[in-house]
Amino acid sequence: MAESARRRGGSRPDDRRSADQLFDRELDHLPPEARWREWMHRVEATIFAASEPVDREMLARIVGKSCSIDLLIDDIREDLRGRPYDLVSVAGGWKHLTRPAYADAIRAAVGGNGKTADLTQSEVLVLMCIGYFQPITRAELSSFFGKEISRDFIGHLRGAGLIASGPRSPTAGAPYTYVTTKEFLLEFGLDTLRDLPDFESLEDAGLLSKEKLLAGQMPTTFANNAENDPDGDSLDGG
């Protein structure tokens, strides 16, 4: 009975722990160079097989305690120099991505990836504002662009997984705020939000100012982009 249950339900947690204990992370029987190369292979294979970025904690499970994951990643990237793909830091982990030079060839072979093509210029501008000013309410976004940002418009970005609900705003009515997600980082190739262009530099250059945007003084370039969306989609979803 117990054996049958194990076959139906897969391995038990204690079985997995036993297998984990048997896994040799340290590889002390190997000479240093061979040990390092094996760690590199393990890390590269794990990242290659994963559908999502692999974080440091996961990689630490397959290498020795003395192993520097950052140095290991550097050596893997050096091995990949000249290859059409690289190992990049994105969304808090590492992922294999093809190099930009081969984007046209990939599109010609298999078409677009189905994500970026769904984003209008207006949506990218709204995402930019959420990225910089989160958590932010829909009313504040509407003030930025001088026109109503509809619930349908926000719903499309949420449906794409690019934004999520944040904490309630302390303003009257306690409206929901919105924040970007891990999918947002993946979509734009960012490791963390710190990789966005430095907002203080943009403010110093006079390109962006939250106070001016909230007052409806949207930069002319952004206003023109929003008014002349290439796909004809307005910010109010109509």
Side-chain angles (χ1 to χ4, degrees):
M1 179 73 71
E3 183 62 30
S4 175
R6 278 198 296 273
R7 285 198 297 268
R8 289 196 304 270
S11 58
R12 297 177 303 178
D14 54 343
D15 292 334
R16 288 193 294 271
R17 282 195 295 270
S18 296
D20 186 62
Q21 290 169 357
L22 292 173
F23 181 73
D24 185 2
R25 293 182 177 84
E26 302 301 332
L27 301 176
D28 290 332
H29 63 286
L30 294 177
E33 289 187 9
R35 182 186 311 133
W36 188 258
R37 178 60 61 177
E38 177 61 21
W39 284 339
M40 287 174 59
H41 288 169
R42 288 178 176 184
V43 165
E44 187 173 3
T46 299
I47 295 172
F48 182 84
S51 59
E52 297 289 333
V54 179
D55 62 23
R56 186 181 302 272
E57 181 181 356
M58 188 177 296
L59 294 180
R61 300 172 190 167
I62 58 174
V63 298
K65 293 180 180 179
S66 64
C67 177
S68 169
I69 291 175
D70 291 320
L71 292 179
L72 205 67
I73 293 291
D74 287 344
D75 282 355
I76 294 172
R77 296 195 66 192
E78 184 62 30
D79 276 0
L80 295 177
R81 189 181 297 275
R83 302 297 298 273
Y85 54 89
D86 194 8
L87 196 60
V88 299
S89 179
V90 61
W94 287 277
K95 185 176 178 66
H96 282 289
L97 292 178
T98 52
R99 298 186 188 276
Y102 298 96
D104 289 342
I106 294 170
R107 279 194 292 269
V110 299
N113 62 15
K115 293 182 180 180
T116 304
D118 289 339
L119 291 177
T120 67
Q121 193 167 13
S122 294
E123 288 169 336
V124 171
L125 290 172
V126 170
L127 282 170
M128 178 199 69
C129 286
I130 296 174
Y132 278 114
F133 304 133
Q134 60 188 297
I136 186 171
T137 67
R138 188 165 62 88
E140 288 178 317
L141 287 169
S142 297
S143 295
F144 281 8
F145 291 94
K147 57 171 62 180
E148 179 73 10
I149 305 295
S150 72
R151 288 184 174 85
D152 287 343
F153 189 96
I154 293 294
H156 183 261
L157 295 179
R158 291 192 63 174
L162 297 169
I163 63 173
S165 295
R168 292 272 192 170
S169 171
T171 57
Y176 281 108
T177 62
Y178 298 98
V179 297
T180 55
T181 63
K182 181 178 179 179
E183 189 64 31
F184 169 85
L185 298 176
L186 285 169
E187 180 70 33
F188 293 98
L190 304 173
D191 187 17
T192 70
L193 291 173
R194 291 190 296 273
D195 293 328
L196 285 167
D198 183 63
F199 185 74
E200 291 184 0
S201 298
L202 295 178
E203 283 191 307
D204 292 342
L207 297 175
L208 282 180
S209 166
K210 186 173 184 180
E211 290 184 3
K212 290 182 179 180
L213 288 172
L214 284 174
Q217 301 173 26
M218 183 178 170
T220 304
T221 301
F222 296 154
N224 290 338
N225 286 336
E227 291 292 342
N228 301 304
D229 189 278
D231 297 313
D233 293 331
S234 64
L235 292 171
D236 60 9

